[in-house]
Amino acid sequence: MTNDYNSQLTKTVIIVADNKNIRRRSEMKRKTAINLIAITALALLFSWEVAYAQEEKQGEEKVEEFSGEEKAKEVSSEEKGAVSDLVNFIKSIHPGFYIDFAYEYNFNRPQDGLNQLRVFDVEDNEFNLHLFQLSFRRFPTTEGGLVNLVGFGAKLDFGEDADVIAASGLGDPDDEFDLQEAYIHILAPFGNGIDIYGGKFVTLAGAEVIESKDDYNYSRSFLFGFAIPFTHTGIRIHYPVAPFDFIIGLNNGWDTVDDVNDGKTIESRVGLNFEKFSIGVVGYFGPEEQNVDGDWRELIDIVATFAPIENLALIANLDFGWQQDANFDLDGDGITDVEENVFWWGVAGYIVYDLNEIVRLVLRGEYFDDQDGFRTGTAQKLWELTPTLQLRPFAKYSPFDNLLLRLEYRHDQSDEGVFEDNDGNFKKTQDTVALELLYYFTL
């Protein structure tokens, strides 16, 4: 009996060890694959100019080598055309990279070391590599033949932010890598040109985006984090008719590559654009609940921009969202409840003023009402105020004119105790200060 037990115990230990080794090897393979992708992308990124130079040099050499009548070999026009087409195709691709690094301090000094109700800036008293991004873009055009009607876009994200935006059904959610966008872009030459996108792309909703370089503040708003989705996988069609532009699309839903049900989500946008004023109305309509096709989620998002004078921009963002028969833990007891017709809404405003090409001043204020707790986990009303100083110290010195430095202070407040302090208690306010350094470059 003892020998059988020891033998069984030994087998169990061996099986556990084998399983751990399998998981370890799987993790190593995944990280190796990600590293290979990054290395390959970097190699492509920094070889563009070299390729251009070599093409010009090779072209000159071929002219000299094959210009004489006494040369034994000649390159056919087809071969020359193939080489030229390939090089022109490579030249038409615009690579870029982007680095976002920051430090943030929470005056509450939360016991768990986390900033509550933040999107990317969740770690207190930490230096954080938010994002290292490699991007590739080819814009289709009606010039140069049918082959130029096809383009594409791709964004490869590495860092802490990649785990936050990672869509379900694509890779490991904890490997700090995300394929943020990967799509084919076809330009149909009808009227003003119809843009057709197929693949994975960012949402149409919101005044803010994933990349901090294209935002006004360092931290993201409550609306960006809790009112709207990040990405979609599907098809999108865009048609501009000045001063309007129209978008219609169909996708798998909010932040998912693999659809969680048999339904599809409809997206739409109507935009009106003038020199000093623009407004866009976006809508998302479709089932988003797991294995439920009939209970729809609807979102209306409105963004308006007004530039009354030079160097001043005023931006407003308004969101209304609701979900039919929502499945979530309503009272925090660990049991999934069903609540009919939950609702959330919010509004955010931005004042952006450029003192000069180096200094920018930004003030954001917003209000978010999650009356059922469906989006934040607590039925509450939130507001925040965020002043930001942005410096572009090398604005006159390319290629370092895209180096940005931001200093931000933010005050959050809720009507419920949701912000943790150093003793593990929860209070109604949270104050943070952050310093961000970022750089981006696109060929």
Side-chain angles (χ1 to χ4, degrees):
M1 178 71 73
T2 302
N3 290 337
D4 292 341
Y5 174 77
N6 290 336
S7 176
Q8 184 64 35
L9 180 61
T10 301
K11 290 179 181 179
T12 302
V13 171
I14 291 173
I15 291 172
V16 171
D18 287 344
N19 289 338
K20 288 183 177 179
N21 289 332
I22 291 171
R23 288 195 299 269
R24 191 177 295 113
R25 287 195 296 269
S26 177
E27 179 71 18
M28 291 177 63
K29 287 180 180 179
R30 184 171 65 252
K31 289 184 176 180
T32 300
I34 292 173
N35 289 336
L36 287 174
I37 292 173
I39 293 171
T40 302
L42 281 172
L44 288 171
L45 179 63
F46 293 108
S47 64
W48 251 250
E49 291 296 332
V50 175
Y52 299 165
Q54 288 179 344
E55 154 62 11
E56 294 177 357
K57 182 178 179 181
Q58 289 174 359
E60 294 174 357
E61 290 176 350
K62 286 178 181 177
V63 170
E64 294 177 359
E65 181 178 354
F66 300 109
S67 60
E69 297 180 355
E70 299 178 357
K71 297 296 181 181
K73 300 175 69 175
E74 293 186 359
V75 176
S76 67
S77 60
E78 291 82 1
E79 290 174 328
K80 291 180 181 178
V83 172
S84 177
D85 289 344
L86 177 60
V87 172
N88 288 334
F89 176 78
I90 294 175
K91 286 183 176 181
S92 69
I93 300 173
H94 300 277
F97 73 91
Y98 161 55
I99 301 173
D100 183 5
F101 171 78
Y103 171 83
E104 186 164 23
Y105 183 87
N106 188 328
F107 292 98
N108 283 356
R109 303 312 319 278
Q111 190 177 71
D112 63 2
L114 300 177
N115 305 321
Q116 277 74 44
L117 299 177
R118 297 295 179 88
V119 185
F120 298 134
D121 56 319
V122 297
E123 296 178 339
D124 169 44
N125 193 26
E126 291 279 351
F127 291 102
N128 197 314
L129 179 59
H130 281 289
L131 194 63
F132 172 64
Q133 182 183 90
L134 298 172
S135 61
F136 302 89
R137 188 79 167 90
R138 184 177 194 262
F139 296 94
T141 176
T142 55
E143 299 177 359
L146 292 176
V147 68
N148 288 331
L149 294 177
V150 180
F152 60 85
K155 290 181 179 180
L156 290 76
D157 293 348
F158 304 84
E160 298 289 342
D161 293 0
D163 287 345
V164 178
I165 64 171
S168 63
L170 184 65
D172 191 325
D174 298 318
D175 59 10
E176 297 186 354
F177 170 75
D178 182 54
L179 186 59
Q180 181 192 138
E181 290 189 304
Y183 57 83
I184 302 296
H185 180 186
I186 299 174
L187 177 59
F190 300 103
N192 295 324
I194 302 175
D195 295 293
I196 304 172
Y197 303 84
K200 183 172 183 276
F201 32 71
V202 295
T203 188
L204 299 173
E208 299 180 8
V209 296
I210 293 171
E211 292 83 5
S212 183
K213 67 183 179 66
D214 298 318
D215 288 320
Y216 310 108
N217 307 90
Y218 159 63
S219 64
R220 303 304 188 279
S221 65
F222 293 132
L223 298 189
F224 176 83
F226 301 103
I228 66 173
F230 295 134
T231 61
H232 310 277
T233 300
I235 187 170
R236 175 179 291 171
I237 300 173
H238 170 237
Y239 186 68
V241 184
F244 296 95
D245 68 277
F246 302 93
I247 295 177
I248 189 72
L250 197 67
N251 58 65
N252 289 339
W254 292 34
D255 305 316
T256 182
V257 173
D258 295 336
D259 205 342
V260 298
N261 51 54
D262 292 331
K264 291 292 178 280
T265 295
I266 302 168
E267 70 171 11
S268 61
R269 183 183 188 276
V270 177
L272 180 62
N273 308 288
F274 297 103
E275 182 178 357
K276 292 189 175 183
F277 175 77
S278 65
I279 186 170
V281 181
V282 171
Y284 282 94
F285 314 94
E288 305 295 340
E289 294 288 275
Q290 186 81 29
N291 300 322
V292 178
D293 299 333
D295 298 333
W296 277 34
R297 181 180 302 172
E298 291 88 16
L299 173 71
I300 299 296
D301 173 87
I302 304 172
V303 177
T305 302
F306 179 48
I309 60 174
E310 187 178 4
N311 298 335
L312 176 65
L314 306 175
I315 302 101
N317 183 195
L318 182 63
D319 284 313
F320 297 93
W322 57 98
Q323 170 71 51
Q324 300 174 1
D325 293 338
N327 298 287
F328 69 110
D329 184 4
L330 181 63
D331 47 18
D333 59 1
I335 300 175
T336 300
D337 304 298
V338 178
E339 180 74 7
E340 294 184 0
N341 300 324
V342 299
F343 180 76
W344 64 95
W345 76 277
V347 59
Y350 308 76
I351 302 174
V352 183
Y353 184 69
D354 293 326
L355 288 177
N356 49 52
E357 58 185 338
I358 296 176
V359 182
R360 168 176 284 184
L361 303 177
V362 181
L363 179 64
R364 178 183 67 205
E366 70 169 323
Y367 174 84
F368 183 62
D369 186 356
D370 186 17
Q371 64 182 32
D372 300 293
F374 180 63
R375 299 302 295 171
T376 63
T378 302
Q380 61 182 314
K381 296 176 176 61
L382 292 158
W383 68 270
E384 60 96 358
L385 192 65
T386 306
T388 302
L389 170 65
Q390 175 181 294
L391 301 177
R392 193 184 294 267
F394 303 107
K396 299 180 180 180
Y397 304 98
S398 180
F400 301 108
D401 51 335
N402 291 329
L403 179 71
L404 301 182
L405 179 67
R406 285 180 179 149
L407 178 63
E408 174 184 290
Y409 169 79
R410 174 167 171 170
H411 173 79
D412 297 328
Q413 189 153 334
S414 171
D415 63 346
E416 298 290 338
V418 294
F419 302 110
E420 189 180 36
D421 64 17
N422 195 41
D423 297 322
N425 300 316
F426 288 87
K427 52 192 299 187
K428 295 183 179 181
T429 61
Q430 175 179 254
D431 293 89
T432 61
V433 62
L435 183 66
E436 179 186 31
L437 182 66
L438 62 87
Y439 178 73
Y440 61 96
F441 183 75
T442 303
L443 291 176

